[in-house]
Amino acid sequence: MPVSLVGRDRERERLTALAETGGALQVVGEPGVGKSALLSCVDGHRVVGVEAEAEFPYAGLHQVLHPFLSGPRRALDVVFGLADGPVPPVHLVGLAALEVLTEARAVVLVDDAHRLDRESRDVLGFVARRLTAGALIATASRALFAGVPTLSLEPLAAGDAVAVLDAVAPGLDAERRSWVLAQAAGNSLALVELPFGGNTLAETFAARVAALSAPVRSALLVLALGGAPGTDLTPAVEARLVDRDGTFRHPLIRSAVVGGAGADELRETHRRLAFATGEADRRAWHLAGAATGPDENVACLLEKTADRALRRGGASAAVSALERSAALGVPGERPRRLLRAAELACEAGRRDDVERILLSVRGLDLDDRERALVTWLPTAFDDGVGVAGAGELVGLAESVVAGGDVELGLRIFWSVAMRCFWVEPGAAVRERIAAVARRLPIEAGDPRMLAMMAYVCPVQQGDAVVAGLRAAGGGGDDQTGVRPLTPDDPATLRLLGSAALQVGAFADSVRFSHAAQRGFRAEGRFALLARALAVEAWSRTRLGDIAAAEPVAAEAVRLAEETGQPYMHGLAVAVQAEIAALHGDHEQSARLAATAERIGLAAGARPVLATVQLARSLAALGEGRYADAFAAVRRVHDPVDPAYQLALRRYVLPELVEAATRSGNTDEARKLVEELDTATSSPALAAGLRYARALLAPDDEAEALFDVALNAESSPWDRARVQLAFGAWLRRQRRAAQARPHLKAAAEAFEAFGTRDWAERAREELRASGESRGGNGELTEHELTIARMAADGLTNKEIGERLHLSHRTVSTHLHRIFPKLGVTARAELREALEPRP
């Protein structure tokens, strides 16, 4: 076994096992810790990431795949520059790469993956999360791929470090030996190299490079800059700087070669490489490296390189080329090139790149459009964050449209609308936005306008949006101006699904959002797919369809994380917390709610925080903690609370009123209901108001209101909740025979939904109504219910709250129950209630 693998038996076994069974692993650790040596113990196709290739899109992926390519694959041919065509999204490229590696059952080893071009890294991350046939093992200085198993390689333990040093330098004097052990601190490369000179690895390698002849040093510099040396590198091999295949033994050696060259030598080497290559992009970059000052000709070549990178799907490479072009070109072109780079970075979801580039624009002379981009780009991401407020942005959108750039104006206005969902701009700003929207050159029934108005004015424009949605779903309406939809129009379908959620048309939201997903999958537009999935999951959960919502929410969580959408990720996790609460898995719900809350609080993302409070309210209701349930859901209605959300607050009335009536907060709940109690075509709000009116009504009015709620069109989930509440009310009115059918229907529905706590509550009410379910001793069904609750640890007060009895009445019942069961204490109830053989 090579000395560099001393102390790595466990890690070596893990890698060799993975290569046999299939899957993916990323090995991370500090430079020199032994990642490359560990990778060498596995047989497979090895690729090394090098800085010289980092500016060429998909260069790394081509290294990975080229031995296994056997026929044309459209997405790969386009990104490799072998065919012309529309730029495929990175996820379609990922699917093609996954197919190639799966068919080949290949074992691919990628060393220094962090040095690959950005596009290749994105694709390999996509592949690594899905690969089962074949194996992909990558080493890097840090974890690159979210959701991929990681092996963190730590420095060697003291005993293993001593063994390595003694093996490579057995005759080292004691003083130098102690110094090397301390300096290396368990770093394998340092243990192997420091004994032979130098105080640091960089000094060691620099000294070896300097000791070589000038021709060999020149050849090494050519190699470091991505060229073919053309000179015998045997002396460099003997100096342990390169391997026999002509690759550097470690990236630190490449850095030492470049760092040891003078500026003139670097420029001259780039110049020679520029004229030696036949590839236009490599020539442009080498000419940039050879430039001694501003050079507009080279800047133009780099701009063309950016264009070619875009045609191959290389947004990150295009951004780099445009930035370098801006630095080399004439001052008058600098703002245009930088802002084009910033727009590309924004479209690619690279927030950090956008912020960095915009810093470079400060102080430059900008025209009106460029100033608009500087203001808008930091807010252009769909999560709605940024330094500019909605009021500032709407004025910007209006001025841009007035200036004739309608396309940019609409893009800015869409950011404004989205911002109204994630943050709260206030009533005055919302009205101003609506006024500007009405002057935009878009028809009222255009899906973009419907969605924008749903986000900006979900209350005032809610009825109009609902009418527009119905017209769109029904094939168009001349009165609303809505055009009929086509099934291959996923972007429009997603907009309508989002609009439907805002106005509480959850069945429409599910229908439109689900329909959009097929097109997004086919086109590989996974960022938009994540949004459509999150909207569908949120809406399905509110409809009680949690069996279908669960896998949808899980996919939304994964895709939102993969596509870099933290707030959509937080929203989907919050929906998972809601689903767990409805299932009765309260611990899991609490964990998920805490995770989502951390995401939401970081940026004040109100929909995330509102959904978190809804999940907590549902969990508290399930556990009988009614005061906690009310406190949680009340936050969604408080305008000064970060969980307040103008649209979503209208769809949590059932939780609010149910918790209020059981926790002594009826008056406050009644005020909130009165505030929302207006005629509405919003299905969710209308159902919530019917339920709330019935629960809050005095006894002489309640029955009629329950009848209204039961006879109205509503979702199965809403109907089951009404049946449970009506049945419980009838039982309290001593009308048990009338209560039982409602309670039985509710119990069966909640069982079908998988909502354990609600099903148990319906069964408790059913038993309390006298429904025969078998007996224990001489207990009545009502006494049996109380006994079971007491055996479960509930206090008299908690039992009374659940059964709408006073705690004194519960105490009286227990005094009668104890002798019937032959017990004298609550602790004996559980055993007494056990079925006897």
Side-chain angles (χ1 to χ4, degrees), residues 481-492:
V482 177
R483 296 188 298 272
L485 295 180
T486 56
D488 59 349
D489 186 15
T492 298

Side-chain angles (χ1 to χ4, degrees), residues 86 134 141 343 347 349 478 484 544 605 708 737 779:
S141 58
E343 283 192 90
E347 291 172 7
D478 290 338
V708 169
L779 298 187

Side-chain angles (χ1 to χ4, degrees), residues 92-117:
L92 275 189
V93 181
L95 289 171
L98 178 64
E99 185 179 15
V100 169
L101 294 179
T102 299
E103 288 178 358
R105 304 188 70 85
V107 176
V108 176
L109 313 171
V110 183
D111 207 359
D112 287 332
H114 56 283
R115 300 181 187 277
L116 295 176
D117 60 277

Side-chain angles (χ1 to χ4, degrees), residues 271-418:
R271 190 191 66 78
R272 286 191 285 112
L273 288 173
F275 290 102
T277 181
E279 297 181 33
D281 295 336
R282 292 181 186 273
R283 183 169 186 267
W285 277 107
H286 283 307
L287 287 174
T292 58
D295 191 324
E296 178 62 18
N297 289 331
V298 175
C300 290
L301 291 177
L302 284 170
E303 195 161 8
K304 291 178 181 178
T305 288
D307 293 337
R308 284 190 290 271
L310 286 175
R311 289 197 292 271
R312 296 172 55 192
S316 294
V319 168
S320 298
L322 284 167
E323 285 191 87
R324 187 73 175 115
S325 174
L328 282 175
V330 296
E333 292 292 329
R334 183 172 170 79
R336 179 185 64 81
R337 286 165 172 159
L338 285 174
L339 286 171
R340 186 183 175 206
E343 283 192 90
L344 292 175
C346 178
E347 291 172 7
R350 315 292 194 201
R351 185 191 309 279
D352 292 344
D353 287 345
V354 171
E355 293 173 351
R356 174 179 50 75
I357 295 168
L358 290 181
L359 286 175
S360 302
V361 178
R362 286 184 178 178
L364 299 181
D365 186 18
L366 308 178
D367 61 26
D368 290 343
R369 185 182 189 278
E370 290 165 347
R371 281 192 291 273
L373 283 171
V374 169
T375 302
W376 169 62
L377 282 173
T379 73
F381 300 91
D382 271 0
D383 50 40
V385 301
V387 295
E392 180 183 356
L393 286 175
V394 73
L396 183 67
E398 190 173 24
S399 66
V400 169
V401 171
D405 195 337
V406 176
E407 187 273 335
L408 177 58
L410 291 179
R411 288 165 66 193
I412 295 173
F413 200 88
W414 180 247
S415 294
V416 174
M418 286 295 301

Side-chain angles (χ1 to χ4, degrees), residues 70-385:
S70 57
R73 296 175 192 266
R74 186 66 179 170
L76 295 177
D77 287 348
V78 170
V79 299
F80 291 156
L82 303 175
D84 294 328
V87 176
V90 66
H91 297 85
L92 275 189
V93 181
L95 289 171
L98 178 64
E99 185 179 15
V100 169
L101 294 179
T102 299
E103 288 178 358
R105 304 188 70 85
V107 176
V108 176
L109 313 171
V110 183
D111 207 359
D112 287 332
H114 56 283
R115 300 181 187 277
L116 295 176
D117 60 277
R118 182 68 173 264
E119 288 76 17
S120 293
R121 295 204 310 266
D122 289 345
V123 169
L124 290 179
F126 180 91
V127 170
R129 285 183 283 272
R130 293 162 175 80
L131 188 65
T132 54
L136 172 63
I137 304 174
T139 71
S141 58
R142 63 190 186 282
L144 296 177
F145 311 132
V148 175
T150 302
L151 171 61
S152 295
L153 212 57
E154 301 297 332
L156 293 174
D160 292 326
V162 168
V164 170
L165 183 57
D166 287 348
V168 298
L172 204 62
D173 65 84
E175 184 178 355
R176 180 70 177 177
R177 184 173 181 273
S178 297
W179 180 88
V180 169
L181 287 171
Q183 187 74 5
N187 184 283
S188 300
L189 186 64
L191 289 166
V192 171
E193 302 292 350
L194 288 181
F196 307 106
N199 292 323
T200 65
L201 283 172
E203 286 182 10
T204 299
F205 294 139
R208 288 187 202 164
V209 172
L212 297 172
S213 66
V216 175
R217 290 200 309 271
S218 179
L220 285 179
L221 183 58
V222 168
L223 181 64
L225 296 180
T231 299
D232 184 9
L233 292 178
T234 300
V237 172
E238 294 171 348
R240 301 198 312 280
L241 295 172
V242 296
D243 292 325
R244 295 194 179 277
D245 61 359
T247 59
F248 286 103
R249 292 185 57 244
H250 195 275
L252 288 176
I253 300 174
R254 180 189 300 273
S255 299
V257 169
V258 175
D264 290 341
E265 185 181 6
L266 275 173
R267 284 194 291 268
E268 175 58 23
T269 304
H270 274 299
R271 190 191 66 78
R272 286 191 285 112
L273 288 173
F275 290 102
T277 181
E279 297 181 33
D281 295 336
R282 292 181 186 273
R283 183 169 186 267
W285 277 107
H286 283 307
L287 287 174
T292 58
D295 191 324
E296 178 62 18
N297 289 331
V298 175
C300 290
L301 291 177
L302 284 170
E303 195 161 8
K304 291 178 181 178
T305 288
D307 293 337
R308 284 190 290 271
L310 286 175
R311 289 197 292 271
R312 296 172 55 192
S316 294
V319 168
S320 298
L322 284 167
E323 285 191 87
R324 187 73 175 115
S325 174
L328 282 175
V330 296
E333 292 292 329
R334 183 172 170 79
R336 179 185 64 81
R337 286 165 172 159
L338 285 174
L339 286 171
R340 186 183 175 206
E343 283 192 90
L344 292 175
C346 178
E347 291 172 7
R350 315 292 194 201
R351 185 191 309 279
D352 292 344
D353 287 345
V354 171
E355 293 173 351
R356 174 179 50 75
I357 295 168
L358 290 181
L359 286 175
S360 302
V361 178
R362 286 184 178 178
L364 299 181
D365 186 18
L366 308 178
D367 61 26
D368 290 343
R369 185 182 189 278
E370 290 165 347
R371 281 192 291 273
L373 283 171
V374 169
T375 302
W376 169 62
L377 282 173
T379 73
F381 300 91
D382 271 0
D383 50 40
V385 301

